C-alpha cells in the first residue's frame, strides 16, 4: 500500500488540506471548510493510500501554497499526480493555461480542446479535479459569466476569483482592470 503524506496550508479561501505521494508529487487538495462527501483522508484511503503526516515531505508544497496565499505566486511548479481518464487529464492540463486573475467559460475551454460541443464534458472533468486551487478549476465560469459548480462550494470559488482579481489588479496598477469579473470582488 503506497503512502500519502497529509498536511494543511493557508489559502485565500481558508485552510487547504493537501497530500503528496512518496516522490513528492501533489496527489490531492481539498478545502477544509468545503462541502465534500468525504474528507481528504477518506478519499486517499479509498484510493488505496496509507495516510501519514511528515512535514518534511510536504514542505515544498506547503511553501508554494503559502506563497500563493501571500500573493507572491501565481502558478505552481511542483510535480502533480494527475490521476484520471485521458479526457480529464487533457482538461486539467488546459486549466493550467488559464492565466491567474482571468476566467474562461466551459465552452471556451471545450473549443480550445478541439471539442466545441463538449462544454458539459469539460464541466464534468472540471468537477472531478483532484487538485483544486493548484489546477485552477475555479477559473471556469458559465457562458453568461455566472459562477457555476465548485466542489468545495460556490463561496470558495467566489473568494478565490476575488482574491486573484485583487492581486492581479495590484500588480498591473489600479488604473487597469484584470480580465476577471469585478462582480466577484466583494465575495
Amino acid at each position: 500500500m503506497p503512502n500519502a503524506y497529509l498536511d494543511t496550508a493557508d489559502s485565500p479561501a481558508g485552510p487547504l488540506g493537501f497530500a503528496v505521494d512518496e516522490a513528492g508529487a501533489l496527489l490531492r487538495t481539498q478545502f477544509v471548510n468545503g462541502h465534500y462527501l468525504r474528507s481528504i483522508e477518506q478519499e486517499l484511503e479509498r484510493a488505496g493510500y496509507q495516510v501519514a503526516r511528515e512535514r518534511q515531505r510536504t514542505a515544498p508544497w506547503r511553501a508554494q501554497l503559502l506563497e500563493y496565499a501571500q500573493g507572491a505566486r501565481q502558478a505552481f511548479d511542483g510535480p502533480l499526480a494527475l490521476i484520471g481518464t485521458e479526457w480529464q487529464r487533457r482538461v486539467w492540463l488546459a486549466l493550467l493555461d488559464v492565466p491567474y486573475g482571468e476566467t474562461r467559460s466551459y465552452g471556451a475551454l471545450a473549443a480550445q480542446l478541439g471539442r466545441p460541443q463538449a462544454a458539459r464534458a469539460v464541466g464534468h472533468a472540471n468537477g472531478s479535479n483532484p487538485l483544486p486551487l493548484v489546477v485552477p478549476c475555479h477559473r471556469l465560469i458559465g457562458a453568461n459569466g455566472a459562477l457555476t459548480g465548485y466542489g468545495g462550494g460556490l463561496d470558495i470559488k467566489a473568494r478565490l476569483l476575488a482574491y486573484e482579481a485583487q492581486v492581479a489588479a495590484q500588480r498591473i496598477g489600479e488604473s487597469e482592470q484584470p480580465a476577471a469579473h469585478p462582480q466577484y470582488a466583494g465575495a
Side-chain angles (χ1 to χ4, degrees):
M1 180 178 284
N3 289 323
Y5 301 95
L6 188 60
D7 202 346
T8 306
D10 289 333
S11 87
L16 180 75
F18 69 98
V20 300
D21 66 14
E22 293 173 351
L26 191 64
L27 280 170
R28 188 165 303 272
T29 60
Q30 189 177 80
F31 290 96
V32 172
N33 299 322
H35 310 288
Y36 304 99
L37 295 175
R38 289 178 282 280
S39 71
I40 188 171
E41 190 166 355
Q42 290 169 328
E43 289 286 349
L44 290 164
E45 288 171 348
R46 184 179 166 132
Y49 289 94
Q50 182 172 330
V51 179
R53 295 181 189 272
E54 288 186 28
R55 289 184 64 87
Q56 73 269 17
R57 288 188 181 266
T58 58
W61 274 106
R62 188 178 337 100
Q64 286 194 51
L65 291 165
L66 179 60
E67 289 170 358
Y68 175 89
Q70 295 172 339
R73 175 178 288 276
Q74 295 184 2
F76 299 93
D77 57 18
L80 305 176
L82 293 174
I83 301 167
T85 67
E86 181 182 338
W87 172 251
Q88 288 171 329
R89 286 191 307 274
R90 283 186 64 206
V91 170
W92 300 335
L93 290 172
L95 287 168
L96 294 172
D97 293 331
V98 178
Y100 182 95
E102 295 184 20
T103 58
R104 296 287 183 275
S105 72
Y106 296 91
L109 195 66
Q112 176 186 328
L113 291 170
R115 293 185 54 196
Q117 303 302 316
R120 286 185 187 211
V122 166
H124 189 266
N126 197 51
S128 62
N129 174 14
L131 300 174
L133 180 73
V134 174
V135 175
C137 54
H138 60 279
R139 296 181 190 153
L140 287 190
I141 59 172
N144 64 357
L147 294 185
T148 58
Y150 194 69
L154 288 180
D155 57 324
I156 290 175
K157 185 173 189 168
R159 288 171 64 186
L160 292 173
L161 290 173
Y163 172 75
E164 289 186 0
Q166 177 186 6
V167 171
Q170 290 171 349
R171 289 182 180 231
I172 62 175
E174 296 300 323
S175 63
E176 294 181 46
Q177 290 294 320
H181 296 277
Q183 71 261 31
Y184 307 135

